[in-house]
Structure formats: C-alpha cells, structure tokens
Amino acid sequence: DGMVVRSRTKVRKNLIDVCPNLKVIVRGGVGLDTIDYEYAESKNIKVMNTPLASSASVAELAIGYMLMLARSLYKASASMKAETWDKKSFEGDEIGGKTLGLIGIGNIGKEVAKRAIGLGMNVIAYDPIVKTTDLKVKFVSMEEVLKQSDIITLHIPLDKKTGATITKKEFDQMKNGVILINCARGGVVDEKDLLEALKSGKVAGAGIDVFVNEPPTEEQRELLNHPNVSATPHIGASTNEAQDRVGEEIATKVVQALKK
Ligand code: NAD
C-alpha cells in the first residue's frame, strides 16, 4: 500500500506496475527525480518527499566548506599528519566582509544566507523565481553574482534539459581566485570546465559534495585529486538531526495518506 525510498532506489514505471495496491510513495529527501511521479499520479498514487528536513544540514555543510577552503584546513590538517610544521603555506582569508553569491535561494539557499549573514558576509543572490526575503540579501542578476562574488555556492536542482548552469562561459565571468561550492546536484557544474578553471587559477578552491557519477569514476579522478579540491561523498543530509526529521516526516505522511 505504501512505499518508502531514499535516493538510491529508482521508482520507475516497471516497479510501479508490479505494485497493484500502491497508494503512496514517499521519498526521504529533496527532489523527485528518482521517481516517475507523473506516471504514479496518473494511477492515483500520491507521491511525496521531505523537502525541508535536511535544509539546515546542507546549509551547514556549505558554510563548513567556505571556512575550510578560505583557510585551507584540509591541506593544513594533512600537512600535520605528514609530520610537517608549515605555517607559511597556510596564510588564508577571512570570510567575514567577503561577498557570498547564492545561485538559488530556495529552502537551502535561505538557510545558507542566514548563517552567512551571521558570519558577517555580504550576501547577494540570483534566483529566477524567488525575488524577496526578510533576510539581508541583495537580489541581483546571474551575471552580477558571477562578477561580484568572492565565494559562490549553488543551491538549485539539476535541469536535465538545459544541463550544467556553471560552464566555461560562467567561469570566465567570475573573479580570479573565486571559491566555488556545489552541495546541490552533480551536473549543475560542468566538471571538465571546473577542472580547467582550477588549473588556470580562476577557481582557487572548490568544495564538492555531489558528482555527475556517484560514486565517481576514473574519468573524474583528476578533478577529485586536484590539490585545491575538497570533496565529500554526498553527505549534505547525513546528520543525526536531519535523519530524525526525515524519519518522522515520512512516518507522518505515510500514515496520513493511508488513513484517507
Ligand atoms: P528548493 O526547490 O527549495 O530551491 C531551489 C531554488 O533554486 C528555487 O528557488 C529555484 O527557483 C531556484 N533555481 C532553479 N534553477 C535556478 C537557476 N538556474 N539559477 C538560480 N536559481 C535557480 O530546493 P532546496 O531544498 O533548496 O534544494 C536545493 C538543491 O540541493 C537541490 O538540487 C537538492 O537536490 C539539493 N540537495 C542536496 C543535498 C545533499 O546531500 N548535498 C541534500 C538535500 C538537497
């Protein structure tokens, strides 16, 4: 009667067709790209997700990347394990007073903005739909986000039709030495163009939680192994708090849907 999935299980037409009693599908997480929801809905099966449960966790990861990349913490930590004492290599930057560009200011983008404002950053944002907020955020064009930002963080879905939002054309408009963070979806940044931008020094540091292939393949190794890349295995929502909220929301939604 009810089906609960996370991100790995794909609920395609063939799976839906072999479940004649199905009334509700709930995906624990953001986005419905892993579910043929239009097909399910055409068969009167409700499709739901848990859009807010992990926003704070993903936002904290993005903020963590900002601090880590501005101070090269991942490199400094590795240097200590290699038994060196190399203070000179780790003269970093403060993030306070810097301009943070948000591409996408939905649920997660707003949580990032709140925290970044608290850290003393100037926050600017581009979003084709959201144009106002109570937060101290200046809404600008995409071009201005690219031109003005010291740090850029993406919080948008992947549009499979249009492909990557950040390609060579966008990197060319960014400040030299920009920091780029992608905790959104693999593919919103063109990985080959990002590697070139890292090699040229256009991008001084990249924090990446999501990849075109997960786990990454041999082809993506050069990007992952670049010294100015810090990467994590899609752990944006992997906190105890987010998992608790996801679990509660799923249980509530399944029960409500099946009681009707
Ligand atoms: P959301 O729908 O609340 O917000 C997305 C915002 O992006 C919307 O306001 C939309 O108008 C805007 N947008 C769409 N295309 C855009 C573009 N080209 N340029 C600028 N803005 C654009 O979604 P959310 O909850 O904030 O999630 C954002 C992303 O984070 C999603 O892709 C989601 O899958 C991802 N996510 C990642 C993790 C993780 O583990 N790393 C966890 C949860 C969510």
Side-chain angles (χ1 to χ4, degrees):
D1 298 292
M3 183 189 287
V4 174
V5 291
R6 299 305 309 262
S7 52
R8 191 174 295 190
T9 311
K10 312 283 181 269
V11 186
R12 300 295 174 218
K13 182 176 177 296
N14 56 349
L15 179 56
I16 295 169
D17 283 341
V18 294
C19 301
N21 294 332
L22 204 55
K23 295 176 188 67
V24 58
I25 303 168
V26 186
R27 169 167 179 220
V30 177
L32 290 174
D33 45 337
T34 51
I35 298 173
D36 283 346
Y37 61 91
E38 280 170 359
Y39 181 70
E41 282 170 353
S42 77
K43 297 188 86 177
N44 280 330
I45 299 166
K46 272 196 186 151
V47 181
M48 293 181 278
N49 61 357
T50 57
L52 294 172
S54 56
S55 304
S57 298
V58 181
E60 287 190 6
L61 182 68
I63 295 282
Y65 266 129
M66 290 174 207
L67 293 164
M68 178 163 64
L69 291 161
R71 301 298 293 271
S72 297
L73 298 183
Y74 62 109
K75 290 184 193 171
S77 173
S79 79
M80 292 292 283
K81 288 188 197 295
E83 296 178 23
T84 59
W85 184 260
D86 180 13
K87 279 177 75 123
K88 278 231 152 56
S89 296
F90 301 115
E91 282 168 7
D93 292 299
E94 292 181 354
I95 64 169
K98 299 292 186 304
T99 297
L100 173 66
L102 291 170
I103 299 180
I105 181 161
N107 295 324
I108 297 172
K110 283 194 189 97
E111 293 297 322
V112 174
K114 267 188 221 166
R115 289 159 175 79
I117 292 163
L119 288 162
M121 303 186 84
N122 307 314
V123 182
I124 60 174
Y126 167 71
D127 190 304
I129 297 181
V130 182
K131 299 290 177 199
T132 57
T133 165
D134 296 342
L135 302 166
K136 203 171 155 244
V137 173
K138 191 172 163 203
F139 286 85
V140 297
S141 64
M142 174 75 158
E143 199 180 33
E144 288 303 316
V145 167
L146 299 174
K147 262 171 44 186
Q148 292 182 23
S149 303
D150 301 298
I151 301 179
I152 294 176
T153 183
L154 292 124
H155 300 288
I156 58 176
L158 172 64
D159 184 335
K160 284 193 179 134
K161 281 186 211 127
T162 52
T165 298
I166 303 296
T167 64
K168 182 176 185 310
K169 183 174 150 251
E170 285 73 32
F171 282 120
D172 286 346
Q173 297 172 66
M174 293 178 194
K175 280 188 182 176
N176 287 328
V178 68
I179 285 176
L180 184 92
I181 294 160
N182 182 10
C183 293
R185 272 287 179 270
V188 300
V189 176
D190 184 295
E191 292 181 351
K192 287 199 178 75
D193 292 351
L194 172 59
L195 180 59
E196 288 314 310
L198 283 155
K199 283 182 181 170
S200 73
K202 170 63 84 174
V203 172
I208 322 173
D209 187 47
V210 287
F211 303 87
V212 169
N213 306 302
E214 296 181 0
T217 59
E218 210 39 49
E219 261 185 16
Q220 291 162 288
R221 272 290 130 212
E222 195 180 349
L223 175 64
L224 283 166
N225 291 344
H226 191 283
N228 295 340
V229 167
S230 175
T232 39
H234 204 145
I235 58 164
S238 302
T239 63
N240 293 317
E241 292 81 0
Q243 298 311 304
D244 282 354
R245 286 191 292 264
V246 167
E248 269 179 39
E249 204 174 325
I250 288 173
T252 308
K253 284 184 166 165
V254 170
V255 170
Q256 276 172 357
L258 292 182
K259 267 189 178 167
K260 280 184 186 157

